[in-house]
Amino acid sequence: MTATVTFTGNAPANADSSVVEWVEDIAQLTQPDRIVWCDGSDEERQRMLDEAVEAGTLIKLNPEKRPNSYLARSNPSDVARVESRTFICSEHEDDAGPTNNWAAPAEMRETLNGLFEGAMRGRTMYVVPFSMGPVGSPLARLGVQVTDSPYVVLSTGTMTRMGAGALAQIGPDTEWVPAVHSIGAPLLPGEEDVVWPCNETKYIVHYPESREIWSYGSAYGGNAILAKKAFALRIASKIGEREGWLAAHMLLLKATNPEGRSFHVAAGFPSACGKTNFAMLQPSIPGWTVETIGDDIAWLAPGPDGSLRAINPEAGFFGVAPGTGHSTNPTAIATLERDTVFTNVALTDDGDVWWEGLTDEAPSHLIDWLGRDWTPDSESPAAHPNSRFTVSAHLCPSIADTWDDPAGVPIDAIIFGGRRATNVPLVAQARDWEHGVYMGATLASERTAAAEGVLGELRRDPFAMLPFSGTHMADHWQHWLNVGERLNDTGNAPLVFQVNWFRRGEDGRFLWPGFSENSRALAWITERIEGRTDAVESPFGLVPVDGAIDYVAAGVSSEDWEALFAIDPEALNAEADDTDVFLARMGTKVPDAVKRQHEEFRSRL
Ligand code: PGA
Ligand code: MN
């Protein structure tokens, strides 16, 4: 530390010296022109929005169509998470495991020091304190991100409890997660008009032991809003492992049956598999309601009463726009009516937004996400397949009034799911917690546009955490088994289920209508919790008895209903073989319980 503080003279008076000194260190390294400490106020947000419009980073939408809403267009090379550039730099490679990119921390620090040196020259460095979870909740955790991207500040302002309230929580003994973000080396002369600067070189780096995050070269959501995937999942999975709680890539919802009994459900599906749609479900069954608590991340901790309590650590939704429409997710459409930042969707001629699936018919003319003229005859989609909306959770009409309860909500059921054209039934209940951990551990899904890679390819995505675990995946499974044992001891372990909305018939058609009809599977799950309905054994677990789910009311034929639960021994044996290969790849840390469950699965075939 230099004796005279050159950069942080404008730090708020109550900022803890640990934060001030860290900010000073990062400023010395990255050499920004100035530092702005964000207070999270409405005035600050409006000022930054106006500045971004002035700079061309944001386009203000027509206030009559979409009040106080904006469109951002990214650099075409910066549209999704880059898993190949995401690193878990634990001291020992074995603590990152075979599913993560690992690099030795000392080497990585040297590489990053080189890249970050002078990286913020000519720009403002924003200091962005935030709380994951309600400020002051025993389940909440704190962080501070520095960034040179106003878009990232605005996004963090929506996605977290950002600003002075969070900073005030940090005292001399408070643990907080430092997160350093830069869009990369300063612009070359002549590049000043680039509206979404980023760098060819990208690094998203986590040091799980020291709980630090460093991200370079990208301004895209999951790479740059470090509170979200980097902190609330990767670093938090490590913190949770030490402290006895679970960081999960799960939505949270509250379902209430016609008798008025409520159930809380956490559901883990991979990215772009419908977590937001499920969290905002409008049940097709009369008398049922579903309320939203979160759409992406849940922190689950055994509570004082022995139940599993859950909070949504986030404060907003960063959802996939395409496929979100009046018929698929009317609640999301209502949420997005105002105060929303859209990224990489299309612009209509009257200054509103459009994306594939918003309406049945596309407008006759649009400006596409690349800023080009677009008509329905154009070859490429008008919105990028991973285009997004960023909006505050409290604007969601279905938000539960308990969504920000500092004590969290008690979880009754945990659901795993993915996109599976074959093999996996519509719904099945795990025999017990251990079987549920096996369901989560062996989860697979077809690849979506949320990350780089080949679309449609089947990949294992254990616990829907493949891109988001800060630990060895097998350690993550053991941790789930350990937490389950504590819950079992008190008789409070939630029931575990697996669902699949995406099974297809031989003709390639979806067998299940999905969306609001998914309430039928959800209702069955709650009936299992209440012990109101029987189930029958299948290789996957316990499945509904005849008549337990009214598929006719969902418009499904009895042939399709049977196909939704059909067992193809040959295909399942091939899948079990694939699981052998997968478990072998996970190495010697695979818990015996998971191996035992796999043998049992085989023996049931
Ligand atoms: P998701 O998260 O891919 O799980 O939707 C968004 C992101 O952070 O990129
Ligand atoms: Mn997600």
Side-chain angles (χ1 to χ4, degrees), residues 246-321:
L246 305 163
H249 189 206
M250 290 181 176
L251 67 91
L252 290 169
L253 64 77
K254 173 182 173 186
T256 305
N257 69 16
E259 290 89 70
R261 177 164 173 199
S262 292
F263 306 84
H264 292 99
V265 175
F269 311 150
S271 301
C273 286
K275 282 197 299 300
T276 306
N277 288 348
F278 195 49
M280 298 179 185
L281 181 83
Q282 290 191 358
S284 58
I285 323 175
W288 282 78
T289 54
V290 166
E291 292 163 79
T292 310
I293 297 170
D295 83 328
D296 194 44
I297 299 176
W299 286 355
L300 310 157
D305 61 352
S307 68
L308 187 62
R309 312 289 305 196
I311 60 163
N312 169 13
E314 303 191 275
F317 307 122
F318 181 63
V320 180

Coordinates of all heavy atoms in Angstrom, one line a residue, residues 246-321:
L246 N -26.3 -25.4 1.0 CA -26.2 -25.7 -0.4 C -26.5 -24.5 -1.3 O -27.5 -23.8 -1.1 CB -27.3 -26.8 -0.7 CG -27.3 -28.1 0.2 CD1 -28.6 -28.8 0.1 CD2 -26.1 -29.0 -0.2
A247 N -25.6 -24.3 -2.2 CA -25.8 -23.3 -3.3 C -26.3 -24.1 -4.5 O -25.6 -25.0 -5.0 CB -24.5 -22.6 -3.6
A248 N -27.5 -23.8 -5.0 CA -28.1 -24.6 -6.0 C -28.6 -23.7 -7.2 O -29.1 -22.6 -7.0 CB -29.3 -25.3 -5.4
H249 N -28.4 -24.3 -8.4 CA -28.9 -23.7 -9.6 C -30.4 -24.0 -9.7 O -30.8 -24.9 -10.5 CB -28.1 -24.2 -10.8 CG -28.4 -23.5 -12.1 ND1 -28.2 -24.1 -13.3 CD2 -28.8 -22.2 -12.3 CE1 -28.4 -23.2 -14.3 NE2 -28.8 -22.1 -13.7
M250 N -31.2 -23.4 -8.9 CA -32.6 -23.8 -8.8 C -33.6 -22.6 -8.7 O -33.2 -21.6 -8.0 CB -32.8 -24.6 -7.5 CG -32.2 -26.0 -7.6 SD -32.5 -27.0 -6.1 CE -31.8 -28.5 -6.6
L251 N -34.7 -22.7 -9.3 CA -35.8 -21.8 -9.1 C -36.5 -22.1 -7.7 O -36.3 -23.2 -7.2 CB -36.8 -21.9 -10.2 CG -37.6 -23.2 -10.3 CD1 -38.9 -23.1 -9.5 CD2 -37.9 -23.6 -11.7
L252 N -37.2 -21.1 -7.2 CA -38.0 -21.4 -6.0 C -39.4 -20.9 -6.3 O -39.7 -19.8 -6.8 CB -37.4 -20.6 -4.8 CG -36.1 -21.0 -4.3 CD1 -35.6 -19.9 -3.3 CD2 -36.2 -22.3 -3.5
L253 N -40.4 -21.8 -5.9 CA -41.8 -21.4 -6.0 C -42.6 -21.8 -4.9 O -42.2 -22.7 -4.1 CB -42.4 -21.9 -7.4 CG -42.5 -23.4 -7.6 CD1 -43.7 -24.0 -6.9 CD2 -42.7 -23.6 -9.2
K254 N -43.8 -21.2 -4.7 CA -44.8 -21.6 -3.7 C -46.0 -22.0 -4.4 O -46.6 -21.2 -5.2 CB -45.0 -20.4 -2.8 CG -46.1 -20.5 -1.8 CD -46.2 -19.2 -1.0 CE -47.4 -19.2 -0.1 NZ -47.6 -17.9 0.5
A255 N -46.5 -23.2 -4.2 CA -47.7 -23.7 -4.8 C -48.8 -23.8 -3.8 O -48.5 -24.4 -2.7 CB -47.5 -25.0 -5.5
T256 N -50.0 -23.4 -4.1 CA -51.1 -23.5 -3.1 C -52.2 -24.2 -3.7 O -52.7 -23.9 -4.8 CB -51.5 -22.1 -2.6 OG1 -50.4 -21.4 -2.1 CG2 -52.6 -22.1 -1.5
N257 N -52.7 -25.2 -3.0 CA -53.8 -26.1 -3.6 C -55.2 -25.5 -3.2 O -55.3 -24.5 -2.4 CB -53.6 -27.5 -3.1 CG -53.9 -27.8 -1.6 OD1 -54.5 -26.9 -0.9 ND2 -53.4 -28.9 -1.1
P258 N -56.2 -26.1 -3.8 CA -57.6 -25.5 -3.6 C -58.0 -25.5 -2.1 O -58.8 -24.6 -1.7 CB -58.5 -26.4 -4.4 CG -57.6 -27.0 -5.4 CD -56.3 -27.1 -4.8
E259 N -57.4 -26.3 -1.3 CA -57.7 -26.3 0.2 C -56.9 -25.2 0.9 O -57.1 -25.0 2.1 CB -57.4 -27.6 0.8 CG -58.4 -28.8 0.4 CD -57.9 -29.5 -0.8 OE1 -56.9 -30.2 -0.7 OE2 -58.5 -29.4 -1.9
G260 N -56.0 -24.5 0.2 CA -55.3 -23.5 0.8 C -54.0 -23.9 1.4 O -53.3 -23.1 2.1
R261 N -53.6 -25.1 1.2 CA -52.3 -25.6 1.8 C -51.2 -25.2 0.8 O -51.3 -25.4 -0.4 CB -52.3 -27.1 2.1 CG -50.9 -27.5 2.6 CD -50.9 -28.8 3.3 NE -49.4 -29.1 3.5 CZ -48.9 -30.3 3.7 NH1 -49.7 -31.4 3.7 NH2 -47.6 -30.5 3.9
S262 N -50.1 -24.6 1.3 CA -49.0 -24.2 0.5 C -47.8 -25.1 0.6 O -47.5 -25.7 1.7 CB -48.6 -22.8 0.8 OG -49.6 -21.9 0.5
F263 N -47.1 -25.2 -0.5 CA -45.9 -26.0 -0.6 C -44.8 -25.2 -1.2 O -45.0 -24.5 -2.2 CB -46.1 -27.3 -1.4 CG -47.3 -28.1 -1.0 CD1 -48.6 -27.8 -1.4 CD2 -47.1 -29.2 -0.1 CE1 -49.7 -28.5 -1.0 CE2 -48.2 -29.9 0.3 CZ -49.5 -29.6 -0.2
H264 N -43.5 -25.3 -0.7 CA -42.4 -24.7 -1.3 C -41.5 -25.7 -2.1 O -41.2 -26.7 -1.5 CB -41.6 -23.9 -0.3 CG -42.4 -22.7 0.3 ND1 -43.0 -22.8 1.5 CD2 -42.6 -21.5 -0.2 CE1 -43.6 -21.6 1.7 NE2 -43.3 -20.8 0.7
V265 N -41.2 -25.3 -3.3 CA -40.5 -26.2 -4.2 C -39.2 -25.5 -4.7 O -39.3 -24.4 -5.1 CB -41.4 -26.6 -5.3 CG1 -40.6 -27.5 -6.3 CG2 -42.6 -27.4 -4.8
A266 N -38.1 -26.3 -4.7 CA -36.9 -25.8 -5.4 C -36.7 -26.7 -6.6 O -36.7 -28.0 -6.4 CB -35.7 -25.9 -4.4
A267 N -36.4 -26.2 -7.7 CA -36.2 -27.0 -8.9 C -35.0 -26.6 -9.7 O -34.9 -25.5 -10.1 CB -37.5 -26.9 -9.8
G268 N -34.2 -27.6 -10.0 CA -32.9 -27.4 -10.7 C -33.0 -27.9 -12.1 O -33.1 -29.1 -12.3
F269 N -33.0 -27.0 -13.1 CA -32.9 -27.4 -14.5 C -31.7 -26.6 -15.1 O -31.5 -25.5 -14.7 CB -34.1 -26.9 -15.3 CG -35.5 -27.3 -14.8 CD1 -36.6 -26.5 -15.0 CD2 -35.6 -28.5 -14.0 CE1 -37.8 -26.9 -14.5 CE2 -36.9 -28.8 -13.5 CZ -38.0 -28.0 -13.8
P270 N -31.0 -27.2 -16.1 CA -29.9 -26.4 -16.7 C -30.4 -25.1 -17.3 O -31.6 -24.9 -17.5 CB -29.4 -27.4 -17.8 CG -29.8 -28.7 -17.3 CD -31.1 -28.6 -16.6
S271 N -29.5 -24.2 -17.7 CA -29.8 -23.0 -18.3 C -30.7 -23.2 -19.6 O -30.5 -24.1 -20.3 CB -28.6 -22.2 -18.8 OG -27.7 -22.0 -17.7
A272 N -31.7 -22.2 -19.7 CA -32.6 -22.2 -20.9 C -33.4 -23.5 -21.0 O -33.7 -24.0 -22.1 CB -31.8 -21.9 -22.2
C273 N -33.8 -24.1 -19.9 CA -34.7 -25.3 -19.9 C -36.0 -24.9 -19.2 O -36.8 -25.8 -18.9 CB -34.0 -26.4 -19.1 SG -32.7 -27.2 -20.0
G274 N -36.3 -23.7 -19.0 CA -37.6 -23.3 -18.5 C -37.7 -23.0 -17.0 O -38.8 -23.1 -16.5
K275 N -36.6 -22.7 -16.3 CA -36.8 -22.4 -14.9 C -37.7 -21.2 -14.7 O -38.5 -21.1 -13.9 CB -35.4 -22.1 -14.3 CG -34.6 -23.4 -14.0 CD -33.5 -23.2 -13.0 CE -32.4 -22.2 -13.5 NZ -31.8 -22.6 -14.8
T276 N -37.4 -20.1 -15.6 CA -38.2 -18.9 -15.4 C -39.7 -19.2 -15.7 O -40.6 -18.8 -14.9 CB -37.7 -17.8 -16.3 OG1 -36.3 -17.6 -16.1 CG2 -38.4 -16.5 -16.1
N277 N -40.0 -20.0 -16.7 CA -41.4 -20.3 -17.0 C -42.0 -21.1 -15.9 O -43.2 -20.9 -15.5 CB -41.5 -21.2 -18.3 CG -41.2 -20.4 -19.6 OD1 -41.1 -19.1 -19.5 ND2 -40.9 -21.0 -20.7
F278 N -41.3 -22.1 -15.3 CA -41.9 -22.9 -14.2 C -42.1 -22.0 -13.0 O -43.1 -22.2 -12.3 CB -40.9 -24.1 -14.0 CG -41.6 -25.2 -13.1 CD1 -42.8 -25.7 -13.5 CD2 -40.9 -25.7 -12.0 CE1 -43.4 -26.7 -12.7 CE2 -41.5 -26.7 -11.3 CZ -42.7 -27.2 -11.6
A279 N -41.1 -21.1 -12.7 CA -41.2 -20.3 -11.5 C -42.5 -19.3 -11.6 O -43.0 -18.9 -10.6 CB -40.0 -19.5 -11.3
M280 N -42.9 -19.0 -12.9 CA -44.0 -18.1 -13.1 C -45.2 -18.8 -13.6 O -46.1 -18.2 -14.2 CB -43.5 -17.0 -14.0 CG -42.4 -16.2 -13.5 SD -41.9 -14.9 -14.7 CE -40.5 -14.2 -13.9
L281 N -45.3 -20.1 -13.4 CA -46.4 -20.9 -13.9 C -47.8 -20.4 -13.6 O -48.0 -20.0 -12.4 CB -46.2 -22.3 -13.3 CG -47.1 -23.4 -13.6 CD1 -46.7 -24.1 -14.9 CD2 -47.1 -24.5 -12.5
Q282 N -48.6 -20.4 -14.5 CA -50.1 -20.2 -14.2 C -50.8 -21.5 -14.4 O -51.0 -22.0 -15.5 CB -50.6 -19.1 -15.2 CG -50.1 -17.7 -15.0 CD -50.8 -16.7 -15.7 OE1 -51.7 -16.9 -16.5 NE2 -50.4 -15.4 -15.5
P283 N -51.1 -22.1 -13.3 CA -51.6 -23.5 -13.3 C -52.9 -23.6 -14.2 O -53.8 -22.7 -14.1 CB -52.0 -23.8 -11.8 CG -51.2 -22.8 -11.0 CD -51.1 -21.6 -11.9
S284 N -53.0 -24.7 -14.9 CA -54.2 -24.9 -15.7 C -55.3 -25.6 -14.9 O -56.4 -25.7 -15.3 CB -53.8 -25.8 -16.9 OG -53.3 -27.1 -16.4
I285 N -54.9 -26.1 -13.7 CA -55.9 -26.7 -12.8 C -56.6 -25.7 -12.0 O -56.0 -24.9 -11.3 CB -55.3 -27.8 -11.9 CG1 -54.1 -28.5 -12.6 CG2 -56.3 -28.7 -11.4 CD1 -53.4 -29.4 -11.6
P286 N -58.0 -25.7 -12.1 CA -58.7 -24.7 -11.3 C -58.4 -24.8 -9.8 O -58.2 -25.8 -9.3 CB -60.2 -25.1 -11.6 CG -60.2 -25.9 -12.8 CD -58.8 -26.5 -12.9
G287 N -58.3 -23.6 -9.2 CA -58.2 -23.6 -7.7 C -56.7 -23.5 -7.2 O -56.5 -23.3 -6.1
W288 N -55.8 -23.8 -8.2 CA -54.4 -23.8 -7.8 C -53.7 -22.4 -8.1 O -54.1 -21.8 -9.1 CB -53.6 -24.8 -8.6 CG -53.8 -26.2 -8.0 CD1 -54.9 -27.0 -8.2 CD2 -52.9 -27.0 -7.2 NE1 -54.7 -28.2 -7.5 CE2 -53.5 -28.2 -6.9 CE3 -51.6 -26.7 -6.6 CZ2 -52.9 -29.2 -6.1 CZ3 -51.0 -27.7 -5.9 CH2 -51.7 -28.9 -5.6
T289 N -52.8 -22.0 -7.2 CA -52.0 -20.9 -7.6 C -50.5 -21.2 -7.4 O -50.1 -22.0 -6.6 CB -52.3 -19.6 -6.7 OG1 -52.1 -20.0 -5.3 CG2 -53.6 -19.1 -6.9
V290 N -49.7 -20.6 -8.2 CA -48.2 -20.7 -8.1 C -47.7 -19.3 -7.9 O -48.1 -18.4 -8.7 CB -47.6 -21.4 -9.2 CG1 -46.1 -21.2 -9.2 CG2 -47.9 -22.9 -9.2
E291 N -46.9 -19.0 -6.9 CA -46.2 -17.8 -6.7 C -44.7 -18.0 -6.9 O -44.2 -19.0 -6.6 CB -46.5 -17.2 -5.3 CG -48.0 -16.8 -5.2 CD -48.4 -16.6 -3.7 OE1 -48.1 -15.6 -3.2 OE2 -49.0 -17.6 -3.2
T292 N -44.1 -16.9 -7.3 CA -42.7 -17.0 -7.7 C -41.8 -16.5 -6.5 O -42.1 -15.5 -5.8 CB -42.4 -16.0 -8.9 OG1 -43.4 -16.3 -9.9 CG2 -41.0 -16.2 -9.4
I293 N -40.7 -17.2 -6.2 CA -39.7 -16.7 -5.2 C -38.4 -16.4 -5.9 O -37.7 -15.5 -5.6 CB -39.6 -17.7 -4.1 CG1 -41.0 -17.8 -3.4 CG2 -38.5 -17.3 -3.1 CD1 -41.1 -19.0 -2.4
G294 N -38.0 -17.3 -6.8 CA -36.8 -17.0 -7.6 C -36.8 -17.8 -8.9 O -37.6 -18.8 -9.0
D295 N -35.9 -17.5 -9.8 CA -36.0 -18.2 -11.1 C -34.7 -18.8 -11.5 O -34.6 -19.4 -12.6 CB -36.5 -17.3 -12.2 CG -35.4 -16.4 -12.8 OD1 -34.5 -16.0 -12.0 OD2 -35.5 -16.1 -14.0
D296 N -33.6 -18.7 -10.6 CA -32.3 -19.2 -11.1 C -31.5 -19.8 -10.0 O -30.8 -20.8 -10.2 CB -31.6 -18.1 -11.8 CG -30.4 -18.6 -12.6 OD1 -30.5 -19.6 -13.3 OD2 -29.3 -18.0 -12.6
I297 N -31.4 -19.1 -8.8 CA -30.5 -19.6 -7.8 C -31.2 -19.7 -6.5 O -32.0 -18.8 -6.1 CB -29.3 -18.6 -7.7 CG1 -28.5 -18.5 -9.1 CG2 -28.3 -19.0 -6.6 CD1 -27.4 -17.5 -9.1
A298 N -30.9 -20.8 -5.7 CA -31.4 -20.9 -4.4 C -30.3 -21.2 -3.5 O -29.4 -22.0 -3.8 CB -32.5 -22.0 -4.4
W299 N -30.3 -20.6 -2.3 CA -29.4 -21.0 -1.2 C -30.3 -21.8 -0.2 O -31.2 -21.2 0.3 CB -28.7 -19.8 -0.6 CG -27.6 -19.3 -1.4 CD1 -27.2 -19.7 -2.6 CD2 -26.8 -18.1 -1.2 NE1 -26.1 -18.9 -3.1 CE2 -25.9 -17.9 -2.3 CE3 -26.8 -17.1 -0.1 CZ2 -25.0 -16.8 -2.3 CZ3 -25.9 -16.1 -0.2 CH2 -25.0 -15.9 -1.3
L300 N -29.9 -23.0 0.1 CA -30.7 -23.9 1.0 C -29.9 -24.2 2.2 O -28.8 -24.8 2.1 CB -31.0 -25.2 0.2 CG -31.6 -25.0 -1.2 CD1 -31.3 -26.3 -2.0 CD2 -33.1 -24.7 -1.1
A301 N -30.4 -23.9 3.4 CA -29.7 -24.2 4.6 C -30.6 -24.8 5.6 O -31.7 -24.4 5.8 CB -29.2 -22.9 5.2
P302 N -30.1 -25.9 6.3 CA -30.9 -26.5 7.4 C -31.2 -25.4 8.4 O -30.2 -24.7 8.9 CB -30.0 -27.6 8.0 CG -29.1 -27.9 6.8 CD -28.9 -26.6 6.1
G303 N -32.4 -25.2 8.8 CA -32.8 -24.1 9.7 C -32.8 -24.5 11.1 O -32.7 -25.7 11.4
P304 N -33.1 -23.6 12.0 CA -33.1 -23.9 13.5 C -34.1 -24.9 13.8 O -33.9 -25.7 14.7 CB -33.5 -22.5 14.1 CG -33.4 -21.5 13.0 CD -33.4 -22.2 11.7
D305 N -35.2 -25.0 13.0 CA -36.3 -26.0 13.3 C -36.0 -27.3 12.6 O -36.9 -28.2 12.7 CB -37.7 -25.4 12.9 CG -37.7 -25.1 11.4 OD1 -36.7 -25.2 10.7 OD2 -38.8 -24.8 10.9
G306 N -34.9 -27.5 12.0 CA -34.6 -28.7 11.3 C -35.1 -28.8 9.9 O -34.7 -29.7 9.2
S307 N -35.9 -27.8 9.5 CA -36.3 -27.9 8.1 C -35.3 -27.3 7.2 O -34.4 -26.6 7.6 CB -37.7 -27.1 7.9 OG -37.4 -25.7 8.1
L308 N -35.4 -27.5 5.9 CA -34.5 -26.9 4.9 C -35.1 -25.6 4.5 O -36.1 -25.5 3.9 CB -34.3 -27.9 3.7 CG -33.2 -27.4 2.7 CD1 -31.9 -27.4 3.3 CD2 -33.3 -28.4 1.5
R309 N -34.4 -24.5 4.8 CA -34.9 -23.1 4.5 C -34.2 -22.7 3.2 O -33.0 -22.9 3.0 CB -34.5 -22.1 5.6 CG -34.9 -22.6 7.0 CD -36.4 -22.6 7.3 NE -37.1 -21.4 7.1 CZ -38.3 -21.2 7.6 NH1 -38.9 -22.1 8.3 NH2 -39.0 -20.1 7.3
A310 N -34.9 -21.9 2.4 CA -34.3 -21.5 1.2 C -34.5 -20.0 1.0 O -35.6 -19.4 1.3 CB -35.0 -22.2 0.0
I311 N -33.5 -19.3 0.5 CA -33.7 -17.9 0.0 C -33.3 -17.9 -1.5 O -32.5 -18.7 -1.9 CB -32.9 -16.9 0.8 CG1 -31.4 -17.1 0.7 CG2 -33.3 -16.7 2.2 CD1 -30.5 -15.9 1.1
N312 N -33.9 -16.9 -2.2 CA -33.4 -16.5 -3.5 C -32.3 -15.4 -3.2 O -32.7 -14.3 -2.8 CB -34.5 -16.0 -4.3 CG -34.1 -15.3 -5.6 OD1 -32.9 -15.4 -6.0 ND2 -35.0 -14.6 -6.2
P313 N -31.1 -15.7 -3.5 CA -30.1 -14.6 -3.2 C -30.1 -13.4 -4.1 O -29.5 -12.4 -3.8 CB -28.7 -15.4 -3.3 CG -29.0 -16.5 -4.2 CD -30.4 -16.9 -4.0
E314 N -30.9 -13.6 -5.2 CA -30.9 -12.5 -6.2 C -32.1 -11.6 -5.9 O -33.0 -11.8 -5.1 CB -31.1 -13.1 -7.6 CG -29.9 -14.1 -7.9 CD -29.9 -14.5 -9.4 OE1 -30.7 -15.4 -9.8 OE2 -29.2 -13.8 -10.2
A315 N -32.1 -10.5 -6.7 CA -33.2 -9.5 -6.6 C -33.9 -9.2 -7.9 O -34.8 -8.4 -8.0 CB -32.7 -8.2 -6.0
G316 N -33.5 -10.0 -8.9 CA -34.1 -9.7 -10.2 C -34.0 -11.0 -11.1 O -33.6 -12.0 -10.7
F317 N -34.5 -10.8 -12.3 CA -34.5 -11.9 -13.3 C -33.6 -11.5 -14.5 O -33.8 -10.4 -15.0 CB -35.9 -12.3 -13.8 CG -36.9 -12.5 -12.7 CD1 -38.0 -11.7 -12.6 CD2 -36.7 -13.5 -11.7 CE1 -39.0 -12.0 -11.5 CE2 -37.6 -13.7 -10.7 CZ -38.7 -12.9 -10.6
F318 N -32.7 -12.4 -14.9 CA -31.9 -12.3 -16.1 C -32.4 -13.4 -17.0 O -31.7 -14.5 -17.0 CB -30.5 -12.3 -15.7 CG -29.5 -12.1 -16.9 CD1 -29.5 -11.0 -17.6 CD2 -28.6 -13.1 -17.3 CE1 -28.7 -10.8 -18.7 CE2 -27.8 -13.0 -18.4 CZ -27.8 -11.8 -19.1
G319 N -33.5 -13.3 -17.6 CA -34.1 -14.4 -18.3 C -33.9 -14.4 -19.8 O -33.6 -13.4 -20.4
V320 N -34.1 -15.6 -20.4 CA -34.0 -15.8 -21.8 C -35.2 -15.2 -22.5 O -36.3 -15.7 -22.1 CB -33.8 -17.2 -22.2 CG1 -33.7 -17.4 -23.7 CG2 -32.6 -17.8 -21.5
A321 N -35.1 -14.3 -23.4 CA -36.3 -13.7 -24.1 C -37.0 -14.6 -25.1 O -38.2 -14.9 -25.0 CB -35.9 -12.4 -24.7

